[in-house]
Amino acid sequence: AIVLKAYEGRGVVTIQGAGASTVVSPGTSATAFSLAEDAVWQVYAVGISSYQIGMHASAGRLRFSAVTFNAAAYVMLLASTAGVVESYGGFTIAGGGSYFFRALDGGQVGVSGGAMTLSGTPAFAAFAFSERGGRATIAPSSISGTATGSRYSVTTGGGVYTGGGETYLPGS
């Protein structure tokens, strides 16, 4: 697991891999990238395998692009409290999990600015899950591929905006 911390000064710190062959594999009960402090981090060009949570922000902003998300034991993107998890370019979903993302307790998930590619037919209980004031804006430039499971689950004041209507997300 990679725990991201606050840093001195301003700006963005980037963790850059060499593509999907640069694999972060923390184990099925761990989080690959975790941010719980007020900072802005970017993760670029890595694959994430064998994990419970791919990226979790409970504070600060965790951005990603060119990431391949392989199957998750739980969720690929998790935003809680004051945390923001967002894409800034295209990415690939190459395996399923309980959810692609979960936003709760004021956390925010954003997907825009690049293609979202689903490889194979990943299975999810719900592709998008938002609750207790969590918010998500899911409007990539394009979505290619399919998934099985519900498109979304929204409860207790959560919200999901797709930019393409209620059938825009993968699933049924």
Side-chain angles (χ1 to χ4, degrees):
I2 299 173
V3 178
L4 308 171
K5 301 284 188 174
Y7 46 83
E8 293 293 323
R10 295 180 174 230
V12 178
V13 178
T14 301
I15 296 173
Q16 183 166 344
S21 62
T22 304
V23 176
V24 176
S25 183
T28 57
S29 62
T31 300
F33 295 95
S34 177
L35 176 60
E37 298 182 14
D38 189 21
V40 180
W41 284 82
Q42 292 184 155
V43 178
Y44 180 77
V46 300
I48 303 175
S49 297
S50 185
Y51 59 98
Q52 181 177 32
I53 300 168
M55 296 184 178
H56 179 206
S58 59
R61 185 174 300 269
L62 181 52
R63 305 179 74 221
F64 67 94
S65 181
V67 171
T68 298
F69 294 95
N70 294 296
Y74 176 51
V75 64
M76 295 168 185
L77 306 177
L78 177 61
S80 61
T81 319
V84 177
V85 179
E86 64 186 358
S87 70
Y88 65 95
F91 61 94
T92 300
I93 300 169
S98 296
Y99 313 103
F100 167 62
F101 79 79
R102 182 177 180 203
L104 71 152
D105 298 335
Q108 299 178 48
V109 173
V111 173
S112 62
M116 179 169 64
T117 303
L118 287 82
S119 176
T121 306
F124 297 95
F127 188 80
F129 182 28
S130 182
E131 65 178 327
R132 298 191 316 251
R135 298 181 310 170
T137 299
I138 310 298
S141 60
S142 66
I143 297 175
S144 63
T146 61
T148 62
S150 297
R151 286 186 176 96
Y152 52 84
S153 175
V154 177
T155 64
T156 322
V160 176
Y161 171 76
T162 66
E166 64 187 42
T167 61
Y168 185 67
L169 297 177
S172 55

